Amino acid sequence: MQHDPQETEPRRPRPALAAAAAAAAVLLAVTACARTEEDASEDDGGGGGGEGQEQVLDEAAAGDETCTLDEYGGEGFDLTDVRVGFSQSEAESNPFRITETQSIVDEAEERGVDLITSNAQSDFAQQINDVQDLMSQGAEVLIIAPLNSDGWKPVLDEAAAEDIPIITVDRAINGTACEDFVTFIGSDFVEQGRRAADQMIDALDGEGEVAVLLGAAGNNVTTERTEGFQERIEAEAPGIEIVFEQSGDFTREGGQSVTEQLVQSEPDIDGIYAQNDEMGIGAVTALNGAGKESGEVSIVTVDGTEEAVQHIVDGWIHGVVESNPRFGPLAFEAAESFGAGEEVGTELIITDRAYDPSNAEEELPHAY
Amino acid sequence: MSAASVMARVDRDRARSWLQDYGVYVGVAAIVLFNVVFTPGFVSLENFRVQAVQAAPIVVVALGMALVIATGGIDLSVGAVMALSAAFVSLYLGYGPLVSVLVALLVGAVAGAVNGTIVAVAGVQAIIVTLAMMIAGRGLALVLVPQLEGIRNPALREFGSGSVAGVPYVVWVAALMVALVLFLVRRTLFGRRLVAVGGNRRAAELSGLPVRRTLLLVYTLCGALAAVAGVMTTARLQASDPNSVGLLIELSAITAVVVGGTPLSGGRVRVAGTVAGAILMQLLVATLIKHNLPPSWTQMAQTAVIIAAVYVARERGRS
């Protein structure tokens, strides 16, 4: 679809003007290129290997069921002898996705694994094609970061026919564990919501009015982070009232615009729960613009990006619940054990860190 | 047909015509009245500033869109051009804020010129050309700036959040653009030509008007205006975010234009109506947010408004 518009010109070619315009655009892009690369290497915060950044499993939250090679079918393998395919769901345009892909790529490099990758750019049909392509390119192990939980049956059947083990990361696939896929490694989004509520209760001493900046509508991350938050607030802090819930679409712009409206209609709001860091940072900009002081409104967010944790240090954000995207080490570890015939848990829930004023400065290097 | 029924029909046409031209002001008045009565904190200087600042990019984009629609065309690429301009602000910031903003505006104009050239010279339908630009433009913006980049520049920050004489800079800029477009439409030959091209392209060609040059200029202007909106948004956000800047703004802009009384078939342009239409779109969103109604309602409300506007225009077109 992304052809140069020039190519769609079917008749009466009078290319001089168009060509000049296109050339100018390309020229501008080229002169700017050297600068982007420099900038990018400067703030290369991603990566999976850093000390203390790795994901840690939460033994208590994990399911009891396990999966072995015998139950799943297929032959044992050594990771260094097989080709591994990784299918990313969304464009690497936010810190979470960048760090996630980087973590998988780095870990593969470290282990000397032959890795092929694809990115579906938030198009589910594309992701199905991607996974089929990865298989046709000879992937014998698949790591999938699924865009949706449903709609995977045809591909899973195809993979099962060839006994290709599948590991899903960050979102689950609806199917039967150890039949449709080997294991799911991810965060517990409901738990993230509960922990955000704990931070909010702490910040407000259990008393006050709170606004929620929701993520994109119809997304399980949004629903689960809302569910956990509401549940915990209702159970633990009857003095806190959720008076406002609007979507900021997980973007900074959305968080800023909605918060600008919010402070006009609810000037006495005590707390804002932003379901990701970007919206939380947008809220900070909005509050700043409306003349609020840092700390006047307690903001709690989820993700753990460097910029958000820095805002805790500066006093604008009260707390950040981490959602750790560094899936590389655990995913390859699971694949290795599975290939060696060992038992692998079918639901591996990771422990997410939390940042608050007491540890933000010290833990800042762990943020992504 | 009796004289009475002819008279009734004339009256009805007049009513429709009045509604198409002035309905948008009634709409704005109604929504303002509703908010004055039912929305706490609506009548305050601070709130007016917030609404004006948020409406500014929609107003600017809608102005360009009004010119394009007046020629009988459409520009779906305005959001992508905003993203492109945001990307170039970030890329060229190293050369200083003024250079980066000028480059961003130039890039917007170039993108518009590419649209205009293909529409005017090759005669490809505007909806297809600008759809391609919508996809390719955002794609290029994401290649250049793959993830949100913070803009830490005092001058741009001041432009995005500061005021002079109590009015935010971005609102001054939007007002300046309105004045510029009003002048073009009402006082220049170019203004008369673009309406003539939209009214009847064949007739305009036969009477020797420079149809292609006019179209090229109109699309270039639309691109440049979208870039102005991209710079505004970037300055306000203090970040360049090609992934989400200007997403779906084409819908708000087209709605603002149509609601403002410019028919989609072209041949006529209502600048003040377009500005009122953009303000109506902004107040609609703000009202639903302030009353904490589900976000999906916003889309439905916007859809209802555009259908109502197109219905009024259609009735008039038939008679």
Side-chain angles (χ1 to χ4, degrees), chain A residues 81-302:
Chain A
D81 300 333
V82 296
R83 176 171 267 193
V84 177
F86 172 56
S87 164
Q88 177 60 284
S89 52
E90 292 171 19
E92 278 110 6
S93 60
N94 65 63
F96 185 93
R97 294 293 163 194
I98 294 167
T99 311
E100 181 176 50
T101 301
Q102 195 60 46
S103 166
I104 302 271
V105 170
D106 286 353
E107 185 68 17
E109 207 161 290
E110 185 132 314
R111 289 169 173 265
V113 173
D114 176 17
L115 180 79
I116 45 176
T117 63
S118 64
N119 189 315
Q121 310 281 340
S122 299
D123 179 348
F124 186 63
Q126 182 61 45
Q127 188 167 30
I128 299 289
N129 289 343
D130 283 350
V131 171
Q132 286 167 335
D133 279 350
L134 290 173
M135 285 193 280
S136 68
Q137 288 173 56
E140 291 162 83
V141 176
L142 287 172
I143 301 173
I144 301 175
L147 187 64
N148 294 340
S149 300
D150 290 314
W152 284 95
K153 194 65 186 161
V155 193
L156 296 181
D157 288 346
E158 222 171 294
E162 298 179 40
D163 293 326
I164 294 177
I166 293 175
I167 294 168
T168 76
V169 294
D170 86 60
R171 287 176 197 159
I173 284 179
N174 290 337
T176 315
C178 212
E179 195 178 299
D180 295 322
F181 60 90
V182 174
T183 180
F184 159 68
I185 309 174
S187 295
D188 181 341
F189 298 125
V190 180
E191 182 62 21
Q192 287 173 350
R194 290 191 200 109
R195 294 175 67 199
D198 288 340
Q199 296 219 14
M200 187 61 84
I201 295 168
D202 172 62
L204 302 181
D205 282 328
E207 229 26 86
E209 295 192 334
V210 170
V212 181
L213 298 180
L214 303 167
N219 180 309
N220 74 308
V221 180
T222 302
T223 346
E224 288 171 25
R225 282 182 185 164
T226 308
E227 189 189 319
F229 187 82
Q230 282 173 342
E231 174 201 307
R232 184 59 60 89
I233 293 283
E234 272 164 30
E236 307 270 321
I240 291 181
E241 197 190 342
I242 298 172
V243 294
F244 183 91
E245 277 187 312
Q246 287 290 317
S247 173
D249 280 324
F250 282 137
T251 68
R252 192 176 295 196
E253 220 271 311
Q256 183 178 351
S257 295
V258 171
T259 308
E260 283 172 351
Q261 299 293 353
L262 167 74
V263 288
Q264 294 309 319
S265 55
E266 306 267 354
D268 301 323
I269 197 83
D270 301 297
I272 296 176
Y273 164 42
Q275 293 187 339
N276 78 347
D277 283 355
E278 284 300 319
M279 294 191 294
I281 295 165
V284 169
T285 315
L287 293 175
N288 206 341
K292 296 266 183 190
E293 301 289 326
S294 67
E296 213 177 317
V297 178
S298 298
I299 303 177
V300 173
T301 73
V302 184

Side-chain angles (χ1 to χ4, degrees), chain A residues 1-6 8-14 17-18 20-22 24-25 27-33 35-36 39-40 43 91-95 98 121 214 217 243-247 251-254 256-258 260-262 264-266 278 282 285 288-290 307, chain B residues 39-41 44 46-47 50-51 53-54 88 90-95 103 106-107 110 113-114 117-118 121-124 129 131-133 135-136 139-140 142 144-150 152 157 212 216 233 236-239 241 243-244 282 286 288-290 292-295:
Chain A
M1 286 294 284
Q2 304 201 354
H3 296 305
D4 184 332
Q6 309 298 311
T8 58
E9 181 180 326
R11 65 199 167 88
R12 284 200 300 181
R14 178 98 47 101
L17 262 175
L27 199 69
L28 281 168
V30 168
T31 51
C33 269
R35 306 185 51 78
T36 12
D39 295 348
D43 55 44
E92 278 110 6
S93 60
N94 65 63
I98 294 167
Q121 310 281 340
L214 303 167
V243 294
F244 183 91
E245 277 187 312
Q246 287 290 317
S247 173
T251 68
R252 192 176 295 196
E253 220 271 311
Q256 183 178 351
S257 295
V258 171
E260 283 172 351
Q261 299 293 353
L262 167 74
Q264 294 309 319
S265 55
E266 306 267 354
E278 284 300 319
T285 315
N288 206 341
E307 202 171 347
Chain B
T39 311
S44 74
E46 241 340 284
N47 181 55
V50 165
Q51 305 316 328
V53 166
Q54 291 195 7
F88 275 90
S90 162
L91 289 179
Y92 276 83
L93 199 58
Y95 297 103
V103 169
L106 183 66
V107 168
V110 168
V114 172
T117 307
I118 301 174
V121 181
V124 180
V129 175
L131 179 68
M133 181 60 81
I135 295 161
L140 178 61
L142 280 169
L144 295 173
V145 178
Q147 73 173 117
L148 181 142
E149 280 199 26
R152 286 178 194 82
R157 185 204 193 109
R212 287 177 188 173
L216 178 60
T233 311
R236 191 173 75 91
L237 194 60
Q238 290 165 42
D241 187 7
N243 208 31
S244 62
Q282 168 60 29
L288 296 171
I289 290 178
K290 282 174 188 291
N292 199 23
L293 292 166

